[in-house]
Amino acid sequence: MSFALPRGCLILKTAPVPEQIPFVEYLQLAPTPHLVAHQCTSCGARFFDRRNACASCFGTSFEDASIATEGTVRSFTIVSFAAPGIPVPFVSAIIDCDGTSVRGNLTNVSADPEHVSLGMKVRLTTYTVGADEAGTEAVGFAFEPAA
Amino acid sequence: MASDDVWILGINMTKFGKHTDKDTVDLASQAAMAALADGGVTMADMGVIAAGCLMGQGGIAQMIQKQIGQTGIPAYNVSNACATGATALRVAYMSIKSGECDFGLAVGVEKLSGVGLLSGGSRKDDGKTWNRAGRYGAVAATDGRIGTDTMPGVFAQVGMEYAHKYGGADFALFAGISEKNHAHSTLNPLAAYQKRFTLDEIMNDMMIAYPNTRAMCSANCDGGAAAVLVSDAKLKTLSLEQQRRAVKISASILTSDPYQEACQVLPDVNTLTRRAAEQAYAKAGIGPEDLDLVELHDCFATAELVHYDNLMLCEPGGAADFFKSGATWRDGSMPVNVSGGLESKGHPIAATGIANVWEVCHHLRNEAGDRQIQGAKVGLAHVIGLGSACGIHILEKSGL
């Protein structure tokens, strides 16, 4: 049995845009992806997790602070043995983002010591970690070589 | 006249390795009874017991008492990551220092054979719907997705951070540290592994977390260690032989990590070690130049390098050159980890902070056999527990 639509009725046959959520609360996807820290209003110490009081000065007032999306690799390791489900090898790095230290994986670079170096310039990027049964995508962050 | 000094009267470590026929209580009891016998005392003399078994179910102090003597004394169960043994030792030390008792027993034990990779965070997810959990509000485990929580990886980053800051350290240099410690272990019959490796063998071994290959990681194994402590006043009433073999605890220091900008993303094992070292040297009235040997926490080859600097064994920033000079080999000017270190002697976590004191005492008592550092009078034992806790003990030979 065929089913005809009335003339003039237009159906958009594109896939629904999946809902995206950040992998961690300190990643903000809009307007452009960036990390946000809880910054102590007294001493300026920055924390990616929630704190009851500032670990540096014990202040209890925090405000959001956007973290620079470009930085320098201050340390790294190339992990060959990891938890189940984590593809190896991968590069874990400590990145100095304009004075705030950030931890993350390096991406879009070969995971070998010939291609990763101390002091290399990197920038924040995002990728899809996976989707749950409802189709919601979790978006994670990593850093890639900048220029 | 008696001082308020505290001494190690008896001390023991079991063979480190695989003990399939013994559980943690057996190993702890074996070490404790041997330490009591070494000191020429019994459980009846003890005024306090402090014990730790990091991976255990808790209550290890009372379990030991049930095996070797229940006398009703205060029992402290301590847990402080890899500094657990040093913490137990310090609890006994403080009890004596406070005047509550004259004798104390400290015990650390662990069974880790075949445990495999130690990492920080892991969690189970049903995979059906994302749920935020933890203090980062993560929808799944962050380990491996936002950097690494694995111990070889974390400590690789600790070493590489030093390399970035000061230069001079590379894969071959880190591997060289492991070469030294494995070479040292051939003289230690209680070490889990007593095999010497060439630099090539170490660098071509299985890569775990660059630049740490398998040979550059601490060896998971089983083992126990125990120490009997005594007050100065009580020691003076004991036999001349007991007094002669007693080792003075010139400093017992425990620190935790003070806030540093980057400590939320990479544990700062440097600042708390440096502070503990400063306090220990001041307390003992001894400088790093006075040390005859050092047992430091080489949980990974990359960690040993930074602690040369943190313990002020070298010029600030000069750890790479210091190692290249050969100073830390057993025939060098500052022998480090002549036991073989955690990389070959092994690292049964809670036992480590007492086993390293045992090693130093062994030399100060001139009882270290083939690996004796001749004429050793002063030594330092250091541990780091990630989280973090740092324990440092400075030990001095008896003047008798």
Side-chain angles (χ1 to χ4, degrees):
Chain A
M1 192 176 98
S2 67
F3 177 73
L5 285 164
R7 272 172 196 266
C9 178
L10 187 70
I11 296 230
L12 291 172
K13 295 267 303 180
T14 53
V17 176
E19 192 195 345
Q20 293 191 322
I21 58 167
F23 186 74
V24 283
E25 282 176 333
Y26 66 92
L27 170 63
Q28 261 182 26
L29 299 177
T32 55
H34 64 287
L35 303 180
V36 177
H38 305 296
Q39 177 169 291
C40 172
T41 56
S42 305
C43 75
R46 292 174 167 182
F47 306 95
F48 289 119
D49 55 350
R50 55 196 163 84
R51 301 285 171 122
N52 300 73
C54 174
S56 180
C57 77
F58 334 128
T60 53
S61 165
F62 296 91
E63 62 191 356
D64 284 354
S66 295
I67 307 299
T69 55
E70 299 205 345
T72 306
V73 172
R74 219 185 67 214
S75 184
F76 74 89
T77 180
I78 303 165
V79 178
S80 301
F81 275 80
I86 301 296
V88 290
F90 73 89
V91 184
S92 165
I94 305 298
I95 296 121
D96 181 347
C97 291
D98 199 20
T100 300
S101 297
V102 178
R103 174 181 138 163
N105 290 5
L106 297 192
T107 187
N108 299 329
V109 63
S110 294
D112 62 64
E114 284 72 47
H115 292 88
V116 182
S117 58
L118 294 167
M120 74 188 280
K121 305 284 183 208
V122 294
R123 65 174 166 242
L124 188 88
T125 183
T126 55
Y127 69 101
T128 303
V129 177
D132 65 9
E133 281 190 347
T136 303
E137 289 181 357
V139 177
F141 72 89
F143 289 83
E144 63 182 3
Chain B
M1 209 182 90
S3 71
D4 68 348
D5 287 335
V6 176
W7 299 74
I8 290 170
L9 182 67
I11 189 160
N12 179 267
M13 68 173 270
T14 69
K15 160 85 177 157
F16 281 5
K18 202 170 194 170
H19 290 279
T20 48
D21 58 335
K22 294 189 179 74
D23 62 19
T24 50
V25 181
D26 292 322
L27 287 169
S29 301
Q30 180 188 324
M33 289 174 74
L36 290 164
D38 185 48
V41 288
T42 72
M43 276 305 281
D45 298 305
M46 296 302 108
V48 64
I49 178 171
C53 178
L54 198 68
M55 305 294 191
Q57 298 301 306
I60 187 73
Q62 286 86 346
M63 287 192 259
I64 294 167
Q65 287 178 300
K66 288 176 176 66
Q67 295 302 312
I68 69 171
Q70 291 174 252
T71 56
I73 56 174
Y76 296 88
N77 292 289
V78 304
S79 175
N80 223 355
C82 301
T84 294
T87 304
L89 197 66
R90 187 165 156 71
V91 167
Y93 170 92
M94 289 192 299
S95 297
I96 294 170
K97 203 85 170 168
S98 74
E100 276 200 8
C101 57
D102 278 317
F103 291 101
L105 176 62
V107 191
V109 69
E110 212 77 57
K111 284 203 78 171
L112 281 182
S113 284
V115 162
L117 184 74
L118 298 183
S119 66
S122 62
R123 61 184 260 199
K124 283 201 169 72
D125 295 293
D126 62 11
K128 288 178 180 165
T129 50
W130 299 118
N131 285 310
R132 293 205 182 278
R135 299 195 77 84
Y136 295 102
V139 297
T142 56
D143 182 15
R145 296 192 177 97
I146 304 178
T148 185
D149 286 332
T150 65
M151 292 298 108
V154 168
F155 280 95
Q157 291 177 149
V158 165
M160 293 293 274
E161 181 187 43
Y162 190 89
H164 178 50
K165 205 167 168 188
Y166 299 112
D170 56 16
F171 182 22
L173 182 126
F174 289 122
I177 290 173
S178 180
E179 181 191 17
K180 167 183 73 76
N181 290 349
H182 285 295
H184 285 170
S185 75
T186 60
L187 297 173
N188 184 357
L190 297 187
Y193 299 96
Q194 290 179 259
K195 186 177 181 333
R196 185 166 187 159
F197 297 94
T198 65
L199 195 61
D200 270 358
E201 285 172 330
I202 291 166
M203 293 178 74
N204 290 311
D205 196 1
M206 188 189 299
M207 183 58 74
I208 305 293
Y210 179 88
N212 285 322
T213 65
R214 183 176 53 183
M216 296 160 71
C217 299
S218 50
N220 288 339
C221 66
D222 310 332
V228 172
L229 276 55
V230 63
S231 68
D232 191 69
K234 183 59 79 174
L235 179 64
K236 285 192 161 58
T237 69
L238 302 180
S239 75
L240 189 62
E241 178 64 5
Q242 283 167 307
Q243 294 184 48
R244 193 187 62 74
R245 288 182 76 248
V247 170
K248 189 168 114 180
I249 302 177
S250 301
S252 171
I253 303 294
L254 189 70
T255 56
S256 59
D257 47 337
Y259 172 79
Q260 296 282 301
E261 187 278 322
C263 70
Q264 66 166 338
V265 293
L266 180 65
D268 172 21
V269 301
N270 303 315
T271 311
L272 82 167
T273 297
R274 186 163 281 270
R275 284 195 181 183
E278 283 166 357
Q279 291 174 36
Y281 292 135
K283 172 89 179 155
I286 279 169
E289 66 282 357
D290 300 316
L291 300 172
D292 296 306
L293 75 157
V294 170
E295 286 287 304
L296 62 75
H297 203 70
D298 64 319
C299 48
F300 299 91
T302 45
E304 177 160 325
L305 184 82
V306 304
H307 294 315
Y308 294 156
D309 199 327
N310 295 329
L311 297 173
M312 292 171 260
L313 307 180
C314 64
E315 295 296 315
D321 287 342
F322 179 64
F323 176 71
K324 285 178 197 158
S325 77
T328 59
W329 282 75
R330 54 171 290 113
D331 58 355
S333 58
M334 178 65 72
V336 172
N337 289 334
V338 297
S339 66
L342 279 51
E343 292 164 66
S344 33
K345 179 179 71 177
H347 185 23
I349 299 176
T352 293
I354 297 175
N356 61 0
V357 171
W358 177 87
E359 179 69 22
V360 173
C361 287
H362 222 43
H363 292 269
L364 301 183
R365 288 164 152 188
N366 198 26
E367 295 173 357
D370 290 343
R371 70 180 186 287
Q372 177 69 40
I373 297 298
Q374 293 305 326
K377 292 188 172 62
V378 188
L380 181 149
H382 158 262
V383 284
I384 275 276
L386 214 59
S388 296
C390 174
I392 290 184
H393 287 92
I394 292 182
L395 304 152
E396 277 186 88
K397 182 185 175 68
S398 162
L400 294 174

